[in-house]
Amino acid sequence: KEENERLRFELGRVRLENRKLKDVAAENVRLREMLRLRESNPGEFVAARVIGRSLSPFFRVLRIRIDQAEGQVRPMMPVVTHEGLVGYVSSLFGAYADVTLVVDSDAQVPVVVEETQSSGVLSGTGELDRYAAQIEHLRPNIDDVRVGHHVLTSGRDDVYPRNILVGTVAAITRRGARQLQQVEVTPAVDFSRLEVVLVYVRRPPPPPEPTAEPPLGEPAPGGAASEPEVGPALGMVPAPPTVAPAGR
């Protein structure tokens, strides 16, 4: 009998150690993913722990604790994980902040469909029994959008940097006489499993402005006087300017 008790105790200890090892391995995976996220996205992040959620199984707001650099976090800063966009900081109090999820009906995120470059504004549907969002004012190439296409932030506002994964196209419906498309999006982030998030506290600096040309006849910085430009001869069509392809 004593031997059985000892074996049961040893089995329980081994199971506990296995759980601890699995937790450590899962944490290492999360940290590696966070590191990759920071390396692949310019800008500056602050890590925060998820400490609270609404009692609803499909909550729309979560609470985070900012353990470091709490003074850098401000309302309306985007919150991300290695999976994609979580939402934005909606309120702040000391070392704590509330984050409104991207699936909330108040969220308004400028997005682009990666495969077609169709752009629009994504907002949460606000449904109580599932997480979902939809894209409005989608254009152009709306007929080319397909289920499974990737939806990214477009960066066309002062909140969200570009090229953060938001989700994938889950359904496309056409309604009305004009056959307007309603595009439903499944979020990329599993909100129910969030433990650590990153607050995007500083966006990458904008590209430098092109150097202004000196006035005609004045010397360029470090050089001789510029030669006056000669336009095309009368009746000749000037060559179109060379335009570099836009980056995503």
Side-chain angles (χ1 to χ4, degrees):
K1 183 178 179 180
E2 291 181 357
E3 181 66 13
N4 288 341
E5 288 293 333
R6 188 186 68 81
L7 290 176
R8 278 196 293 268
F9 176 81
E10 185 65 19
L11 179 61
R13 186 187 66 80
V14 171
R15 287 175 174 171
L16 179 61
E17 289 297 325
N18 283 339
R19 282 198 295 271
K20 289 181 178 179
L21 290 174
K22 288 180 180 179
D23 289 342
V24 170
E27 181 67 15
N28 285 338
V29 169
R30 285 193 294 271
L31 291 175
R32 284 197 299 269
E33 293 292 348
M34 292 292 187
L35 181 61
R36 276 201 293 268
L37 177 66
R38 297 185 68 157
E39 291 175 344
S40 62
N41 288 272
E44 187 175 329
F45 295 93
V46 167
R49 293 183 293 114
V50 177
I51 62 168
R53 299 174 173 88
S54 167
L55 295 178
S56 166
F58 291 92
F59 54 89
R60 298 292 181 269
V61 177
L62 56 84
R63 181 158 295 178
I64 59 175
R65 177 181 173 86
I66 305 143
D67 293 320
Q68 296 179 349
E70 64 179 73
Q72 299 182 39
V73 177
R74 298 285 186 273
M76 297 306 297
M77 285 182 170
V79 179
V80 300
T81 71
H82 65 278
E83 293 179 315
L85 182 65
V86 175
Y88 64 92
V89 175
S90 50
S91 59
L92 188 66
F93 26 94
Y96 302 90
D98 283 346
V99 177
T100 297
L101 303 183
V102 69
V103 290
D104 188 84
S105 57
D106 288 336
Q108 300 285 318
V109 185
V111 294
V112 60
V113 179
E114 182 180 29
E115 289 80 0
T116 65
Q117 292 301 296
S118 309
S119 60
V121 178
L122 178 139
S123 60
T125 60
E127 297 173 68
L128 299 179
D129 58 348
R130 65 180 186 137
Y131 291 128
Q134 61 186 8
I135 304 176
E136 299 177 347
H137 313 300
L138 188 66
R139 62 182 187 276
N141 307 323
I142 58 176
D143 291 332
D144 297 329
V145 177
R146 297 288 182 269
V147 171
H149 280 180
H150 299 90
V151 179
L152 313 175
T153 54
S154 66
R156 294 177 179 173
D157 64 355
D158 294 328
V159 178
Y160 303 98
R162 63 184 306 193
N163 290 341
I164 298 176
L165 181 63
V166 180
T168 54
V169 175
I172 303 169
T173 57
R174 289 175 173 82
R175 52 187 173 80
R178 299 176 60 187
Q179 293 291 293
L180 298 177
Q181 280 193 336
Q182 180 174 330
V183 178
E184 183 178 307
V185 176
T186 298
V189 175
D190 183 352
F191 303 112
S192 65
R193 299 173 62 88
L194 287 178
E195 296 182 8
V196 179
V197 296
L198 295 177
V199 183
Y200 219 136
V201 297
R202 186 174 302 169
R203 298 184 65 166
E209 295 290 333
T211 304
E213 295 183 2
L216 188 64
E218 290 189 9
S226 59
E227 292 292 331
E229 295 183 359
V230 179
L234 186 62
M236 293 183 61
V237 178
T242 302
V243 178
R248 292 191 347 200

